[in-house]
Every structure is written in structure tokens, then in C-alpha cells.
Amino acid sequence: MNETLPYDVHRLRELAGEIIINVRELAALGWTPATSSNFSHRLDDAHAAITVSGRDKGKLREGDIMVVDMAGRAVGSDHRPSAETLLHTQLYSRFPDVGCVLHTHSRAQTIASRLFAGAGHVRLEGYELLKAFRGNDTHEAAVDVPVLPNSQDMPTLAAQVDALFDRGPLWGYLIDGHGLYAWGRDMAEARRHLDAFEFLLDCELELRRLTAGH
Ligand SMILES: [Zn+2]
């Protein structure tokens, strides 16, 4: 542990490398347009590593990863944390087993959020891929992905998200006209959840197109 920093710098470097590799892949898929989206990994009980606001996610470097505390404040740097940092740290604070949070703005996520905003959720049902979500061992279960109204007021948005957690297990949610939040115990699980959401939302949109007017 570094004497002047309250976290393990070696662990931070390790996690920064993992975040960079994964985020570049997600950027290459077109899920992080125009410097949007943000990504984090738990560093320890009191800190998380998170992408600095406004950086091109396809060209991330180690200096683009910063440390924040669980209130979303910068630690050990004067980088500006994303306004949405609170939506990451609320997951780490509430769930000790959440280790990684991924937030993207893909086309399918954005369009689905608009289309299903009125309903307040997207129902995913009957898909084999529902088994990709931790604890879901059957395709017979239905998963309702909540769609929250967009807001620039993060404490309000965070409070709405917190209320969702009281209802039952959740692996992600959409924000209207904005994008998706997905998480897991580690990067691999969060990526699996994110990939499953993206695939299933895309299926729902395609089904809508194919059945329109029938
Ligand atoms: Zn966002």
C-alpha cells in the first residue's frame, strides 16, 4: 500500500488494465458513442476505479481511470468524476458482492429505452439466454428490465434505482433515451450480463419490426 494513498496502487493498475481492455472492446462494438458511457470496478470496501468523464472510450489509457470513494468523490487525483458516478457507487455500497458496473449507450439499448419507457419495463421472456443472468437457471422465468425516466439530478435517479432493489434481484436497468446499467460480481460476470441484455433487447426490437402491422 502506498503511504500517501488510501488504496492499493498495484490493484488499481491491475484493474485499470482490465477495464481498458474491456471498454475498448465495447467501444469497438459502437456501444459508447461520442465519449459517452462509464465503467467501474470495485477497488476495496471504500473505493472504486472508474473511467474519467468525457474520454474517448475507444482510446482509453491508464490515466483515464480514476479512484472515487463511495460518495463518488475523487480520491488521490483532481480528475472530474462523471456525474453518473453515484449510480455506480450506490451499487457497491448496497451490495457487497457487486464488483463491477458497466454503463453503455448502444443503439438497441437507447431505442428500447424509448420504446418501453411508457410501460416502465421491458419484459424478456422465453429466451434461452435468460440463463446468462446469475441465479437464473431456467429460460422459463421472465425478467423485467426496468426503464427509469432520465434525469440529470443524480440523487433523485439514485433514489429511484434504490427503490427498484427493494423489489427483488436485478442485473440491470435502462434509463429512458439514455442507456443501460449492468453489473456483476466481477468484470466477466458484468460483461456476460451486459452482452445478454444487449442481445435480448435487440431481439425484442427486431420482433417488433417483423410483427408490426400484422
Ligand atoms: Zn450515461
Side-chain angles (χ1 to χ4, degrees):
M1 176 133 351
N2 187 297
E3 280 177 64
T4 54
L5 293 169
Y7 52 81
D8 182 339
V9 287
H10 298 292
R11 179 73 180 136
L12 172 62
R13 189 156 295 159
E14 207 172 81
L15 290 175
E18 195 181 16
I19 291 171
I20 289 166
I21 290 170
N22 279 274
V23 172
R24 281 186 184 166
E25 286 175 7
L26 297 172
L29 291 167
W31 297 5
T32 68
T35 78
S36 70
S37 310
N38 39 67
F39 306 89
S40 70
H41 202 293
R42 182 193 290 278
L43 191 52
D44 55 42
D45 288 348
H47 303 97
I50 188 166
T51 46
V52 176
S53 183
R55 302 289 164 91
D56 182 339
K57 302 304 183 296
K59 300 190 176 92
L60 272 196
R61 299 149 68 99
E62 208 175 287
D64 298 325
I65 311 294
M66 65 183 295
V67 176
V68 291
D69 64 17
M70 292 307 169
R73 291 177 299 235
V75 177
S77 80
D78 49 14
H79 287 314
R80 187 168 60 93
S82 156
E84 291 176 55
T85 300
L86 205 55
L87 299 181
H88 292 247
T89 55
Q90 82 170 145
L91 278 152
Y92 297 128
S93 302
R94 177 149 178 178
F95 303 106
D97 65 339
V98 170
C100 180
V101 181
L102 305 174
H103 168 52
T104 48
H105 290 218
S106 78
R107 278 176 61 91
Q109 293 156 15
T110 307
I111 296 167
S113 75
R114 308 242 67 178
L115 195 60
F116 295 95
H121 68 272
V122 188
R123 172 151 288 205
L124 303 173
E125 196 169 18
Y127 291 104
E128 178 68 15
L129 213 67
L130 288 172
K131 292 198 285 195
F133 297 112
R134 175 159 65 104
N136 233 15
D137 46 17
T138 167
H139 69 277
E140 285 163 3
V143 169
D144 284 335
V145 187
V147 185
L148 293 166
N150 200 12
S151 169
Q152 305 307 312
D153 181 44
M154 286 310 137
T156 301
L157 200 48
Q160 287 169 344
V161 173
D162 214 49
L164 293 175
F165 296 147
D166 296 333
R167 289 200 224 150
L170 201 62
W171 302 273
Y173 59 84
L174 287 162
I175 305 176
D176 183 16
H178 183 160
L180 176 78
Y181 272 82
W183 55 86
R185 286 171 296 183
D186 54 21
M187 177 64 80
E189 190 175 85
R191 273 296 295 268
R192 195 180 77 227
H193 289 165
L194 175 63
D195 289 350
F197 278 126
E198 172 70 17
F199 180 85
L200 294 170
L201 291 173
D202 191 52
C203 285
E204 284 298 309
L205 293 176
E206 188 64 20
L207 276 171
R208 286 259 170 154
R209 274 192 290 267
L210 292 170
T211 54
H214 288 264

